[in-house]
Amino acid sequence: MGSWRLYAAVAAGGFRRYATYRAATFAGVFTNTVFGVILVYTYLALWDEKPHLGGYDQAQAVTYVWLGQCLYSTLAIQGGGAEKDVIERIRTGEIAVDLYRPADLQLWWLASDLGRSLFQLIGRGVIPFAFGALFFPMALPTDATSWLALLVALLLAMVVSFGIRYLAALSVFWLMDGMGIMQAVMITGVFCSGIVFPLNAFPGVLGDIVRALPWAAQLQMPADVLMGETDPLGAYAFQATWAVVLLAAGRLLQSAATRRVVVQGG
Amino acid sequence: MAETSRLGEGVRAYRLIAGMWIRSAMTYRTSFVVTMCANLVMTGLDFVGILLMFSQVDSLGGWGLPEIAFLYGLSVTAFGIADLVLGSMDVLGSRIRDGSFDILLVRPAPVLAQIGADRFAVRRLGRITQGTVVLGWALTSVEVDWSAAKVLLVPLMVVSSAAIFCAVFVAGAAFQIFAQDASEVQNAFTYGGTTLLQYPPTVFGKDFVRGVTFVLPLAFVNWVPASYVLGRPYPLELPGWAAFTPPLVAVACAALAGLAWRAGLGSYRSTGS
Amino acid sequence: MDAFIELDRVEKVFDVRKKTGFLKRERRQVRAVDSISFTVARGEMVGYIGPNGAGKSTTIKMLTGILTPSGGRLRVAGIDPSRERTRLAHRIGVVFGQRTTLWWDLPLIDSYRLMHRMYRIPDARYRENLDRCVELLELVDLLDVPVRQLSLGQRMRGDIAAALLHDPEVLYLDEPTIGLDVISKAKVRGFLRELNTERGTTVLLTTHDLQDIEQLCSRVMVIDHGRLMYDGPLAGLHEVGESERTLVVDLERELPPIVAAPARVVRVEGPRQWLAFPASESAAALVARVAAEYPLVDLSVREPDIEAVIAKMYAGEAEKAVS
């Protein structure tokens, strides 16, 4: 199929674009490592106080921290992926050009964002994770299946993450300014993804709510899949459901936005 | 004499430029209100993260919630002040890349003041507000035998820490002149620093604490005096008067940052054509 | 003569690191400006031209104190720019063609008010200068318009005004007419000429547009590869470069090539013919001769562009070197 080659090329472009920012990548690795160290110490103290918090033992809690740092930019948890470009193109009106391209707008940006994610995973994510594994006790599986299961969960997490951010970006068609929505993406992303505190350890009803929201598909699910804390198939079903819902919603919003652009005459 | 007039010039230029940014922000009124609210929510949720931890445990590293709130309030208020004053210095890298830094250099005002006031944003008051609220609550909840020295120490800590965070921002800006797209490195020191100081030193490894205290004197201005106020042992074997040295540490940091900035500016090479 | 700008063997060397492999980098030194010396007297209007990357902007940046020279001596109004940048800033005006000093989201007048206070311009002086700029640059309807809504030409005029409110003794312009339409170009040029004659402001401009130079500058400096290749009147540059202008003639019908020495036909396309003639020759005489002897429909004169002039100049230099 010709169109698959097109999207593969777009994804490769997204990968290469981020690969050119070498200093930024090194800086990011450094920052993620520092944050990882700070968080690990607080988690160790926390789990000292209350072993098996959220169903994790200490080594699992440490693993959770470093996986979080590894996925922080991969999943653009506080924003900063394709949605930034989309918002900029909406603001400048260049998006009208994209709408007439012989490619699907949503798939185009999804491919580009997946390319970016892949680079961030390899370029920015792996080193802090390896650092963590080297200097702190971690609960890493030794069988290849668990790692493979993680990769599948990560791919689904990337799609969910894109789905959320793409919806946010499209809202700028109506809001005209991206500042507020970018901040909303950041707040919800940081709080609901469990990057600060594992969702499994959230108390009571609040815990039930955050574990049902799409952000749970980003860090919590892959972490549990990696550490064998959940049935991978159940986790995939949860992630895939949110991926489909978000992409479908994105599609609806996109066609509404397209009509709006056409009515306004570009 | 010459130095004080330069400082005056800098403050004046800073006020002028910050004023322009406030007016610019006001032209998008809705967005201004939205970002202001979002900022309050965002910084608020930051403390909710700590409350979540305490929903599961009663103490962390042997420190209770009011005591950690005290650390948190001090650190966040100080960082909030520095962030309001110099928080946009990370745009320096992109200004150098697009060449607009040159424009600042041909104006008759200290560049540091101009770049400090760049993208000045009132919404950054959100963090200060939240930090002060938490600090206020902590001050009424901690059990402390207040003495004149302890009362005096609280504002002194906030101001000194704010100055140290400012110094970190300036040093980070100087670093950006060499490596323009590495602005994220300074996040490790600024955001990382304020996160670190929110937790008690007993949480961290001894070597780690030693490193932060002497290599990066951040810890010094928060952990040591806070321990003194709360009547807890110092994180390292230090004499009793160490709690009163933050202003000196702040001045030393500011001087070092100033030197770094001068060196950075001297080696500025502008872009391409 | 009062030398206002003085350069004595000024150099600027950059360390360039080039990626040669995945992790390998090669360091080498690039001489962006290579031992340049010249002086500009107060009140002169000088064109500073050369191909891209020749070192024009680097020179301007050293003159304004943005960059520190690697060697040589440089003075503007007796001040060493990189040492006393802020003091010098009060006495110079700078317009960067591609970057604006104006505030994007605010009405134009707000940017001027900032200049008023930042440069500590006395009130009466400010008002007088602003009124003059507003009148001559036709800004009166634009003062309350947010800068982001201005066209490129309007913004350039706005930028020029912003650079002049504090009465600078010298004005540096980096590509002031780039991207502007014909009318805006004419307005900008007219204003600069007036500024120079009425106020005696020294003007140094870099440009790609030879017409800027022809209409404004009595003196041209050509720089290439960081070296000063030519310094003198524009006419002299034409001689040195032996450059040619082109007369494009549309005849009533197809005819054999026109004979009108010293012009020679370089191209024929149906009824249209291209005649090259030395830039030092008068075009009027040639046009008169052609019109008298051939059935003319239309004609136009094309100026040589800077690149062509400079290329010819090099060709000439090379020939001299050989002979």
Side-chain angles (χ1 to χ4, degrees):
Chain A
M1 288 256 294
S3 63
W4 284 109
R5 292 179 61 177
L6 167 69
Y7 295 119
V10 172
F15 185 97
R16 268 201 303 276
R17 189 179 139 204
Y18 280 85
T20 53
Y21 305 134
R22 293 156 58 99
T25 305
F26 286 130
V29 166
F30 178 69
T31 308
N32 284 130
T33 310
V34 169
F35 267 95
V37 170
I38 295 172
L39 267 182
V40 158
Y41 277 122
T42 54
Y43 277 30
L44 287 175
L46 209 56
W47 262 260
D48 252 351
E49 206 73 38
K50 190 167 184 180
H52 304 296
L53 177 59
Y56 287 158
D57 60 27
Q58 244 178 10
Q60 285 180 313
V62 171
T63 313
Y64 184 90
V65 167
W66 289 109
L67 187 66
Q69 293 307 314
C70 167
L71 298 183
Y72 196 68
S73 55
T74 305
L75 299 178
I77 282 180
Q78 60 162 4
E83 86 284 1
K84 226 174 65 186
D85 303 322
V86 177
I87 288 173
E88 195 49 34
R89 292 187 77 83
I90 296 174
R91 264 169 39 83
T92 57
E94 284 167 291
I95 198 82
V97 180
D98 299 353
L99 289 174
Y100 293 106
R101 238 187 239 147
D104 183 79
L105 194 63
Q106 192 185 33
L107 283 178
W108 174 284
W109 286 111
L110 174 60
S112 163
D113 200 50
L114 285 180
R116 177 201 60 78
S117 290
L118 191 63
F119 172 75
Q120 304 276 42
L121 179 65
I122 297 167
R124 247 187 97 157
V126 170
I127 298 175
F129 192 78
F131 176 90
L134 209 60
F135 292 100
F136 297 91
M138 268 166 62
L140 296 176
T142 45
D143 58 313
T145 11
S146 302
W147 289 100
L148 219 62
L150 173 70
L151 285 184
V152 178
L154 280 187
L155 183 67
L156 285 165
M158 288 173 189
V159 179
V160 171
S161 158
F162 169 79
I164 297 170
R165 287 177 288 118
Y166 192 64
L167 277 177
L170 289 180
S171 73
V172 175
F173 271 110
W174 290 270
L175 296 175
M176 297 322 288
D177 180 74
M179 195 76 176
I181 196 72
M182 295 270 267
Q183 279 192 313
V185 166
M186 188 167 172
I187 295 168
T188 48
V190 169
F191 190 72
C192 302
S193 68
I195 192 94
V196 184
F197 197 57
L199 301 183
N200 286 353
F202 271 52
V205 187
L206 183 61
D208 295 335
I209 295 172
V210 289
R211 283 190 291 273
L213 293 175
W215 289 277
Q218 296 192 343
L219 172 57
Q220 190 66 59
M221 290 292 159
D224 285 347
V225 167
L226 176 70
M227 297 187 285
E229 285 292 303
T230 185
D231 169 31
L233 294 179
Y236 296 162
F238 178 84
Q239 291 181 303
T241 311
W242 271 119
V244 170
V245 169
L246 289 166
L247 290 183
R251 216 132 256 269
L252 276 175
L253 206 58
Q254 180 179 308
S255 57
T258 313
R259 275 198 300 279
R260 199 179 148 81
V261 169
V262 173
V263 169
Q264 285 180 341
Chain B
M1 185 63 204
E3 282 301 308
T4 44
S5 80
R6 257 186 83 76
L7 187 67
E9 278 294 295
V11 172
R12 184 171 176 275
Y14 185 95
R15 278 190 15 232
L16 287 175
I17 293 170
M20 295 296 273
W21 282 107
I22 294 174
R23 294 168 63 100
S24 295
M26 288 303 189
T27 59
Y28 299 101
R29 246 163 240 272
T30 341
S31 193
F32 178 76
V33 174
V34 170
T35 49
M36 189 83 199
C37 294
N39 204 271
L40 271 173
V41 174
M42 183 158 59
T43 47
L45 279 179
D46 192 39
F47 188 64
V48 171
I50 288 185
L51 288 178
L52 278 174
M53 291 183 187
F54 276 88
S55 74
Q56 306 287 1
V57 297
D58 294 324
S59 70
L60 199 63
W63 294 47
L65 181 59
E67 293 170 306
I68 286 186
F70 181 58
L71 288 181
Y72 180 96
L74 287 171
S75 155
V76 170
T77 309
F79 179 64
I81 294 170
D83 187 43
L84 179 75
V85 176
L86 296 178
S88 298
M89 303 248 319
D90 53 347
V91 300
L92 175 63
S94 59
R95 281 221 179 269
I96 290 175
R97 254 174 287 147
D98 70 18
S100 55
F101 187 57
D102 290 352
I103 289 173
L104 309 188
L105 285 168
V106 297
R107 289 183 184 154
V111 189
L112 189 58
Q114 295 187 62
I115 201 77
D118 206 1
R119 311 268 162 97
F120 183 87
V122 181
R123 65 165 186 279
R124 295 213 169 89
L125 281 169
R127 198 187 300 273
I128 302 180
T129 313
Q130 185 249 6
T132 334
V133 169
V134 174
L135 184 61
W137 176 78
L139 286 175
T140 58
S141 323
V142 285
E143 285 167 30
V144 167
D145 246 347
W146 288 106
S147 65
K150 287 182 179 180
V151 172
L152 184 74
L153 209 45
V154 175
L156 200 66
M157 281 160 78
V158 173
V159 174
S160 308
S161 319
I164 290 184
F165 277 121
C166 282
V168 175
F169 276 123
V170 171
F175 179 65
Q176 281 181 66
I177 296 179
F178 296 105
Q180 286 125 49
D181 47 0
S183 63
E184 215 187 318
V185 164
Q186 75 182 35
N187 288 358
F189 297 101
T190 52
Y191 290 89
T194 178
T195 311
L196 176 79
L197 297 183
Q198 293 164 13
Y199 300 103
T202 46
V203 160
F204 302 97
K206 198 96 182 168
D207 290 328
F208 189 72
V209 172
R210 191 168 290 133
V212 192
T213 314
F214 295 115
V215 180
L216 243 186
L218 272 177
F220 209 80
V221 289
N222 205 357
W223 280 341
V224 176
S227 300
Y228 175 85
V229 170
L230 297 174
R232 287 183 166 272
Y234 288 168
L236 299 167
E237 298 77 27
L238 290 167
W241 49 262
F244 296 90
T245 51
L248 294 177
V249 180
V251 169
C253 287
L256 282 176
L259 286 177
W261 175 252
R262 248 176 220 198
L265 207 55
S267 67
Y268 172 62
R269 34 186 294 174
S270 189
T271 40
S273 64
Chain C
M1 212 163 44
D2 174 14
F4 187 65
I5 300 174
E6 295 169 83
L7 280 82
D8 185 17
R9 279 163 295 174
V10 169
E11 291 187 356
K12 183 69 195 177
V13 181
F14 288 117
D15 263 338
V16 179
R17 270 183 302 172
K18 231 177 92 182
K19 222 175 118 180
T20 49
F22 178 63
L23 281 171
K24 266 192 288 182
R25 269 147 194 251
E26 197 182 69
R27 277 177 77 120
R28 68 194 174 90
Q29 292 201 321
V30 172
R31 287 184 179 272
V33 168
D34 191 0
S35 194
I36 284 189
S37 306
F38 64 78
T39 59
V40 175
R42 202 179 276 276
E44 264 196 285
M45 203 160 183
V46 180
Y48 198 52
I49 62 178
N52 279 332
K56 287 174 299 186
S57 292
T58 306
T59 313
I60 299 259
K61 282 170 186 170
M62 287 193 283
L63 288 172
T64 49
I66 294 172
L67 291 174
T68 315
S70 320
R73 185 176 179 277
L74 195 162
R75 292 288 180 278
V76 176
I79 297 173
D80 180 351
S82 64
R83 277 172 179 271
E84 293 185 86
R85 200 182 53 232
T86 353
R87 190 157 82 91
L88 181 69
H90 283 284
R91 305 181 60 175
I92 64 172
V94 187
V95 178
F96 293 112
Q98 307 286 49
R99 300 157 223 151
T100 182
T101 184
L102 306 172
W103 289 72
W104 200 243
D105 287 317
L106 297 179
L108 188 56
I109 186 74
D110 286 19
S111 296
Y112 297 154
R113 289 193 182 121
L114 177 70
M115 294 297 155
H116 177 192
R117 301 188 57 191
M118 188 181 269
Y119 284 84
R120 296 178 193 276
I121 309 165
D123 290 349
R125 214 21 167 335
Y126 167 72
R127 197 135 313 129
E128 188 194 320
N129 286 344
L130 181 64
D131 288 347
R132 218 174 113 260
C133 287
V134 166
E135 190 201 323
L136 291 173
L137 288 165
E138 297 173 36
L139 296 172
V140 71
D141 297 326
L142 307 177
L143 287 177
D144 294 319
V145 179
V147 172
R148 68 184 128 88
Q149 291 171 15
L150 300 182
S151 73
L152 197 63
Q154 292 171 331
R155 211 164 69 213
M156 175 52 72
R157 274 145 53 201
D159 259 312
I160 293 177
L164 291 172
L165 295 175
H166 60 286
D167 281 325
E169 294 157 68
V170 56
L171 179 65
Y172 301 104
L173 301 130
D174 196 5
E175 300 286 354
T177 59
I178 199 164
L180 302 194
D181 59 85
V182 182
I183 297 168
S184 293
K185 275 185 187 179
K187 276 184 192 161
V188 166
R189 286 177 189 144
F191 178 78
L192 292 177
R193 207 178 301 122
E194 157 116 17
L195 177 81
N196 180 250
T197 45
E198 298 284 306
R199 296 243 157 174
T201 308
T202 311
V203 177
L204 187 65
L205 63 95
T206 74
T207 184
H208 263 83
D209 191 334
L210 206 55
Q211 286 198 317
D212 281 349
I213 307 276
E214 266 186 354
Q215 299 189 9
L216 295 174
C217 307
S218 50
R219 178 178 168 195
V220 195
M221 286 188 273
V222 180
I223 180 174
D224 192 32
H225 293 105
R227 289 176 162 275
L228 196 59
M229 306 299 296
Y230 174 82
D231 185 353
L234 181 66
L237 178 61
H238 283 298
E239 274 161 33
V240 170
E242 291 164 353
S243 64
E244 292 176 321
R245 286 190 282 179
T246 310
L247 180 68
V248 185
V249 183
D250 284 325
L251 301 174
E252 271 172 13
R253 56 185 185 281
E254 288 187 39
L255 285 171
I258 296 168
V259 182
R264 60 201 163 78
V265 174
V266 288
R267 195 171 150 202
V268 179
E269 234 172 58
R272 178 174 284 190
Q273 300 196 6
W274 281 261
L275 282 84
F277 63 101
S280 46
E281 293 284 318
S282 152
L286 179 65
V287 170
R289 272 175 59 200
V290 173
E293 294 168 28
Y294 295 88
L296 272 184
V297 177
D298 195 9
L299 55 79
S300 62
V301 177
R302 294 204 186 149
E303 297 297 327
D305 60 3
I306 287 182
E307 260 77 18
V309 170
I310 293 169
K312 276 234 161 194
M313 208 168 104
Y314 290 146
E317 293 267 309
E319 263 166 44
K320 263 182 240 160
V322 168
S323 57

